[in-house]
RNA sequence: GGGGGGAUACCAGAGCGGUCAAAUGGGGCAGACUGUAAAUCUGUUGGCGCAGCCUUCGGAGGUUCGAAUCCUCCUCCCCCCA
């Protein structure tokens, strides 16, 4: 199976600018780029699939460049629904530094900043040198713009595709970039760049996109309770990330293994069989979570996540020492609460319930346990003796939600 | 510029003077069943000192014993005509 066949098997190719690209991809030696705007100081799970493709390309002998849009980040890539809130220049700068460090560490890509070339282009040159290549009719015809016409789009965001096209041209001319890859929402911007380069230089460059990763309902994949799952372990702990992937739906787990891991076809097919024949072993899920956590955070963090998982899900708290707890929960959010408080106050204090009314509901539903012991009495007082070595309690809500608190 | 319709809890959407903390559906959360899966069923989904009280129905005033419901002004959205 050659490289492109493998990509196709993994379901990683959606749009491809020219069939001629396939042969080039198999051959190796291309310099390509992938871009992201510094909207936050860390990547999240939503970015992961396209960055992993870049990693695959790198391993297939191509040279990756990551463009972090220090300039485009100040403009805002149009979303299908509504205008973006502008990010302050300081924020963009801070985010840029965060992303640069993260990507260099995780992926080892060369990082460039489009602000470095924008700063030398004045407005008249911009309109003369680039604006002339963009007929407004052409721009209006792009799906992303068309979807915004009824709700409105500002001139600022409307201009975004010109900037991204300009990036492609700049990198083509100065870095020898001949290929851009991205998620499918970037297709319009990619083709804008390909067209600009063809019209202005006559050169043929390429682009391809990968499909948006979704769950079985077609919803965008990679959010937990509506919140982003960050690739920075200080923002989303390895344990939380592990839990997210180990809980993925059966019907999707094989697709995700193809997208998010470098496991070979034979191994994934074996896991597929295992999932079908002995689903209760959850082998495929565990492999998925393991591969991702080890790749992002290393073996040690993975081991901690597993260890924590075992203690939390098997209610093994009695044998834990204070030190064990500190080691295990080191990266989790540890709240401080006072002893001798009513269970309802504890639940709210630890974040397990958002109000006492809700706390009552959880206790009434038999959903709460402390250090593995079910609590059914609303008037239960959590005294010092319940804190492990006078320090910690582990509050569990439902099957999967755990909270740790330290005695104040 | 003229005419009309609308803004209700996370979302959609009923309510159109008291019985409204506000129907119904979706989503969320929890329980049961399981495999930390899916589907299904059940409960729950403003807050609190919880058989009671407090704050909510775009914003500000007003009428009334009493307003999400009526009146005035303001803000925003949609539709039709020019």
């Amino acid at each position: 199976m050659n490289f492109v066949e493998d990509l196709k098997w993994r379901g990683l190719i959606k749009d491809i600018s020219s069939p001629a690209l396939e042969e080039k991809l198999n051959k190796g030696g291309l310099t390509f780029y992938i871009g992201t705007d510094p909207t936050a100081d860390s990547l999240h799970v939503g970015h992961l699939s396209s960055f992993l493709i870049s990693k695959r390309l790198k391993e297939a002998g191509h040279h990756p460049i990551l463009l972090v849009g220090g300039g485009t980040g100040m403009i805002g890539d149009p979303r299908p629904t509504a205008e973006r809130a502008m990010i302050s220049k300081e924020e963009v700068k801070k985010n840029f530094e965060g992303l640069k460090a993260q990507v260099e560490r995780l992926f080892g890509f060369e990082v460039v900043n489009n602000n470095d070339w924008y700063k030398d282009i004045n407005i008249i040159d911009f309109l003369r040198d680039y604006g002339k290549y963009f007929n407004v009719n052409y721009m209006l015809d792009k799906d992303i713009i068309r979807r915004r016409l009824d709700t409105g789009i500002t001139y600022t965001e409307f201009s975004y595709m010109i900037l991204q096209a300009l990036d492609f041209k700049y990198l083509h001319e100065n870095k020898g970039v001949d290929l851009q890859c991205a998620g499918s929402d970037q297709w319009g911007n990619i083709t804008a760049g390909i067209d600009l380069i063809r019209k202005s230089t006559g050169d043929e460059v390429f682009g391809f996109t990968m499909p948006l990763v979704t769950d079985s309902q077609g919803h965008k994949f990679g959010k937990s309770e509506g919140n982003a799952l960050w690739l920075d372990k200080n923002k989303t702990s390895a344990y939380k990330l592990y839990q997210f992937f180990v809980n993925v739906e059966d019907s999707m787990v094989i697709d995700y293994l193809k997208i998010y891991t470098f496991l070979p076809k034979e191994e994934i097919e074996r896991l597929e069989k295992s999932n079908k024949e002995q689903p209760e072993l959850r082998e495929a899920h565990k492999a998925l979570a393991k591969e991702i956590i080890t790749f992002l955070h290393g073996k040690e963090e993975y081991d901690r996540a597993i260890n924590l998982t075992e203690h939390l899900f098997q209610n093994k708290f009695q044998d834990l020492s204070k030190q064990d707890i500190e080691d295990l929960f080191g990266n989790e959010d540890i709240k401080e609460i006072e002893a001798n408080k009513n269970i309802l106050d504890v639940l709210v204090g630890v974040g397990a319930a958002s109000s006492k009314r809700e706390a009552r509901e959880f206790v009434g539903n038999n959903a709460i346990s402390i250090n593995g012991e079910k609590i059914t009495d609303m008037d239960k007082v959590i005294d010092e003796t319940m804190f492990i070595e006078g320090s910690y309690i582990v509050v569990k809500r439902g099957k999967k939600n755990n909270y740790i608190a330290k005695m104040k």
Side-chain angles (χ1 to χ4, degrees), chain A residues 209-227:
Chain A
T209 64
M210 61 162 302
L212 183 71
V213 182
T214 64
D215 63 19
S216 63
Q217 309 293 309
H219 298 127
K220 208 189 270 184
F221 177 75
K223 297 230 158 128
S224 164
E225 291 154 25
N227 299 313

Side-chain angles (χ1 to χ4, degrees), chain A residues 241-248 282 285-289 309:
Chain A
L241 208 54
Y242 180 86
Q243 284 300 318
F244 177 77
F245 283 104
V246 95
N247 262 300
V248 138
R282 308 173 61 75
H285 295 79
K286 288 175 183 165
L288 174 67
T309 293

Side-chain angles (χ1 to χ4, degrees), chain A residues 1 13 19 33-34 43 71 89 92 139 183 229 243-244 250 255 274 286 291 298 328 333 385:
Chain A
M1 193 162 65
I13 297 185
Y33 95 94
I34 171 175
L43 297 176
K89 293 189 177 179
V92 168
M139 296 173 76
L229 290 152
Q243 284 300 318
F244 177 77
D250 276 23
D255 287 352
S274 161
K286 288 175 183 165
E291 289 299 311
L328 284 172
D333 186 18
T385 63

Side-chain angles (χ1 to χ4, degrees), chain A residues 104-376:
Chain A
E104 283 173 347
R105 183 178 61 77
L106 279 178
F107 299 94
F109 297 165
E110 176 184 354
V111 176
V112 295
N113 182 351
N114 53 16
N115 205 39
D116 290 346
W117 50 91
Y118 294 166
K119 67 180 192 315
D120 297 325
I121 303 176
N122 73 43
I123 179 77
I124 297 298
D125 288 341
F126 173 75
L127 293 173
R128 291 174 64 94
D129 296 346
Y130 302 98
K132 271 290 181 182
Y133 288 103
F134 288 85
N135 194 306
V136 169
N137 297 340
Y138 168 88
M139 296 173 76
L140 291 175
D141 202 42
K142 297 282 181 190
D143 184 55
I144 188 72
I145 303 292
R146 235 182 309 139
R147 288 162 74 176
R148 282 287 294 280
L149 286 181
D150 50 339
T151 52
I153 179 166
T154 61
Y155 188 74
T156 306
E157 287 194 1
F158 181 61
S159 316
Y160 188 92
M161 86 171 71
I162 303 183
L163 293 179
Q164 189 164 328
L166 188 166
D167 288 340
F168 200 171
K169 181 169 148 87
Y170 178 90
L171 291 170
H172 173 62
E173 289 173 344
N174 295 279
K175 292 270 188 185
V177 168
D178 286 326
L179 169 68
Q180 179 180 178
C181 63
S184 60
D185 59 321
Q186 291 299 313
W187 184 239
N189 290 329
I190 292 177
T191 52
I194 293 174
D195 291 341
L196 172 67
I197 291 167
R198 195 191 56 245
K199 286 188 213 163
S200 62
T201 69
D203 294 348
E204 186 186 17
V205 294
F206 303 91
F208 80 88
T209 64
M210 61 162 302
L212 183 71
V213 182
T214 64
D215 63 19
S216 63
Q217 309 293 309
H219 298 127
K220 208 189 270 184
F221 177 75
K223 297 230 158 128
S224 164
E225 291 154 25
N227 299 313
L229 290 152
W230 302 102
L231 305 193
D232 178 341
K233 68 173 190 289
N234 297 313
K235 287 166 83 95
T236 299
S237 69
Y239 165 76
K240 276 199 187 118
L241 208 54
Y242 180 86
Q243 284 300 318
F244 177 77
F245 283 104
V246 95
N247 262 300
V248 138
E249 311 161 75
D250 276 23
S251 61
M252 298 304 289
V253 68
I254 301 304
D255 287 352
Y256 297 151
L257 277 166
K258 291 175 181 170
I259 296 169
Y260 291 111
T261 75
F262 294 96
L263 294 174
K265 187 165 184 247
E266 305 74 57
E267 176 63 5
I268 293 181
E269 282 170 346
R270 190 189 69 75
L271 290 166
E272 185 170 15
K273 194 160 167 252
S274 161
N275 184 239
K276 212 163 271 166
E277 289 168 4
Q278 290 173 287
E280 68 284 356
L281 293 181
R282 308 173 61 75
E283 242 193 304
H285 295 79
K286 288 175 183 165
L288 174 67
K290 177 181 180 184
E291 289 299 311
I292 293 171
I293 306 304
T294 343
F295 175 75
L296 292 175
H297 302 315
K299 176 93 168 53
E300 205 172 303
E301 283 291 324
Y302 166 73
D303 288 340
R304 270 160 56 107
I306 286 284
N307 208 336
L308 189 48
T309 293
E310 278 173 9
H311 283 89
L312 290 175
F313 283 85
Q314 290 162 31
N315 274 341
K316 296 196 306 202
F317 302 99
Q318 299 72 8
D319 53 331
L320 284 179
S321 71
K322 189 176 156 187
Q323 186 61 46
D324 289 338
I325 291 189
E326 283 171 1
D327 288 349
L328 284 172
F329 288 87
N331 286 341
E332 299 301 312
D333 186 18
I334 299 182
K335 294 264 175 26
E336 291 203 337
I337 58 165
E338 287 170 33
N340 298 315
K341 293 279 244 181
N342 173 273
I343 179 68
L344 302 178
D345 292 313
V346 170
L347 288 174
V348 174
V350 89
S354 62
S355 69
K356 289 168 90 169
R357 191 216 48 77
E358 198 177 62
R360 258 182 220 105
E361 186 182 321
F362 290 141
V363 174
N365 280 344
N366 262 329
I368 299 298
S369 60
I370 287 190
N371 298 339
E373 186 191 322
K374 267 276 189 271
I375 305 289
T376 50

